[in-house]
């Protein structure tokens, strides 16, 4: 039994969530080219070490960051650290809330990404930070040597500089928002990180990741690219992003990375013991349902489709081991409660039906 499985069974504990799934890193680690395999192996080793560390700190009850004394509600409290290419967290503090931008573009991008996520939660959903109670947002950049991943460890986010395959993980704002959204899920529905609830956990992060990017760019649903991690892959990779919500399974098709394994429909659901039961794979199904809903409704996706997902996540009706069907039914109830049985309700039933998830 892997540590992921153990973590997944302890549903009340936060889980270690990386943006690049293990099946991609496994492929890279087996590449003939040592320039590709070496960094991927080191990233896998660093991830394994972090999983162990996170489990230990969970067991030992390490405290979450506290809201500073006298801090104003409805304002972000960001702190950026530089891990200086080491693996000790958080590292050296390099920027606090309200500090002027420095010379390090990575720090500045991370600071802006935390701010954008905070702002969408506040302005879009009237939520004060990811816990709804002003939780300080902490991120460490320049983590490890050629670390090709980013993760949320239950308390903070960590971003690598990338390697031959991945660029700096602060470049796509949706990657930062994806990781912070794992915090949002942790404080709300807290989906178990395995199988269908795990894929819902991943999908919610992709949905809010994409919404933050659309919010930053002020894009309507029809203009958005619906990609996760666009701009992250280097020119060595044949691909456009890590995942596509518009067309799951088409984000990359590469000699080294292999082909994007995401299904868009239940009939193509992938049964696997890897990747915590395919959490980064089967998330394509609820991802695509959200895309279908948002583009059918049109306009700004966070205003109606996003609101339905947010209400579902925070509504308290779902068990931590919710299935896709449980989630779909809860979205229908949430849509009815907020918008009545109008076009939102109809579009939602159509979206779930198109991906093959029953709501009746
Ligand atoms: Zn994730």
């Amino acid at each position: 039994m892997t540590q992921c499985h153990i973590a997944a069974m302890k549903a009340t504990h936060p889980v270690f969530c990386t943006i690049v799934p293990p099946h991609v890193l496994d492929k890279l680690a087996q590449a003939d080219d040592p320039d590709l395999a070496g960094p991927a192996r080191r990233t896998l080793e660093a991830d394994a070490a972090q999983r162990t560390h996170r489990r230990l700190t969970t067991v030992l009850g390490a405290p979450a960051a506290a809201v500073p004394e006298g801090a104003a509600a409805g304002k972000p409290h960001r702190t950026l650290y530089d891990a200086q290419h080491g693996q000790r967290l958080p590292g050296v503090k390099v920027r606090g809330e309200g500090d002027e931008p420095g010379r390090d573009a990575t720090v500045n991008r991370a600071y802006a990404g935390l701010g954008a996520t905070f702002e969408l939660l506040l302005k879009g959903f009237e939520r004060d930070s990811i816990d709804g109670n002003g939780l300080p947002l902490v991120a460490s950049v320049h983590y490890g040597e050629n670390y090709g991943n980013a993760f949320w460890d239950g308390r903070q986010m960590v971003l690598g500089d990338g390697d031959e395959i991945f660029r700096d993980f602060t470049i796509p704002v949706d990657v930062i928002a994806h990781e912070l959204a794992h915090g949002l899920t942790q404080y709300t529905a807290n989906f178990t990180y395995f199988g269908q609830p795990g894929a819902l956990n991943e999908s919610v992060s992709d949905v809010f990741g994409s919404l933050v990017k659309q919010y930053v760019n002020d894009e309507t649903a029809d203009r958005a690219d619906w990609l996760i991690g666009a701009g992250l892959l280097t020119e060595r990779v044949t691909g456009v992003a890590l995942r596509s919500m518009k067309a799951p399974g088409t984000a990359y098709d590469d000699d080294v990375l292999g082909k994007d394994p995401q299904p868009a429909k239940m009939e193509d659901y992938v049964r696997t013991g890897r990747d915590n039961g395919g959490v980064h794979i089967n998330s394509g199904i609820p991802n695509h349902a959200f895309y279908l809903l948002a583009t059918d409704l049109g306009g700004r996706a966070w205003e109606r489709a996003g609101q339905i997902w947010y209400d579902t996540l925070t509504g308290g009706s779902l068990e931590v081991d919710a299935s896709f069907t449980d989630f779909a039914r809860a979205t229908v109830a949430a849509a009815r409660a907020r918008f009545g049985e109008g076009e939102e309700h109809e579009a939602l039933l159509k979206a779930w039906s198109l991906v093959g998830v029953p709501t009746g």
Side-chain angles (χ1 to χ4, degrees), residues 17-18 178 182 202 280:
C17 308
T18 56
H178 172 106
H182 279 304
E202 270 306 314
H280 294 89

Side-chain angles (χ1 to χ4, degrees), residues 17-20 178-179 182 193 201-202 205-206 243 280:
C17 308
T18 56
I19 187 93
V20 179
H178 172 106
E179 293 307 326
H182 279 304
Y193 204 63
N201 196 319
E202 270 306 314
S205 273
D206 280 352
R243 290 181 283 281
H280 294 89

Side-chain angles (χ1 to χ4, degrees), residues 30 126 150 152 160 171 178 239 246 299 316 327 341:
Q30 290 157 21
E126 295 174 0
W152 165 259
I171 290 171
H178 172 106
K246 180 178 183 173
F327 184 82
E341 295 204 352

Side-chain angles (χ1 to χ4, degrees), residues 3-4 40 121 132 150 159 164 188 197 201 281 295 304 349 352:
Q3 279 159 1
C4 299
L121 288 176
L159 296 142
E164 295 276 321
T188 55
N201 196 319
I281 298 172
T295 49
R304 290 194 285 168
L349 295 184
W352 284 120

Side-chain angles (χ1 to χ4, degrees), residues 253-330:
D253 189 355
D254 182 72
D255 292 350
V256 183
L257 283 189
K259 190 184 175 304
D260 176 0
Q262 283 211 308
K265 295 179 177 183
M266 267 325 261
E267 65 196 51
D268 299 318
Y269 187 93
V270 178
R271 285 175 205 290
T272 172
R274 301 178 67 204
D275 182 30
N276 279 30
V279 294
H280 294 89
I281 298 172
N282 294 310
S283 54
I285 297 165
N287 274 2
H288 194 54
F290 184 85
Y291 159 82
L292 290 169
L293 171 67
T295 49
D296 191 354
L297 292 176
R300 295 180 170 119
W302 59 91
E303 290 180 354
R304 290 194 285 168
Q307 186 70 58
I308 293 167
W309 251 239
Y310 179 79
D311 289 351
T312 304
L313 198 62
T314 56
S317 70
L318 287 168
E319 301 287 338
V320 295
D321 61 349
S323 66
F324 286 0
T325 303
D326 296 334
F327 184 82
R329 285 179 180 153

Side-chain angles (χ1 to χ4, degrees), residues 14-100:
V15 289
F16 176 82
C17 308
T18 56
I19 187 93
V20 179
H23 59 82
V24 173
L25 292 171
D26 285 344
K27 271 247 164 62
L28 281 172
Q30 290 157 21
D32 293 332
D33 184 343
D35 287 349
L36 302 180
R41 274 190 210 125
R42 283 197 294 278
T43 297
L44 281 165
E45 281 162 19
D47 289 352
Q50 271 303 327
R51 278 193 182 89
T52 308
H53 174 74
R54 198 205 54 76
R55 269 188 349 112
L56 291 174
T57 51
T58 301
V59 170
L60 296 172
V67 181
E69 196 96 16
K75 298 258 189 270
H77 309 295
R78 289 165 284 184
T79 312
L80 270 292
Y81 293 89
D82 186 340
Q84 298 181 323
H85 305 291
Q87 289 178 29
R88 286 178 71 129
L89 293 172
V92 179
K93 184 180 167 182
V94 286
R95 191 168 173 191
E97 187 60 45
D99 292 350
E100 290 297 314

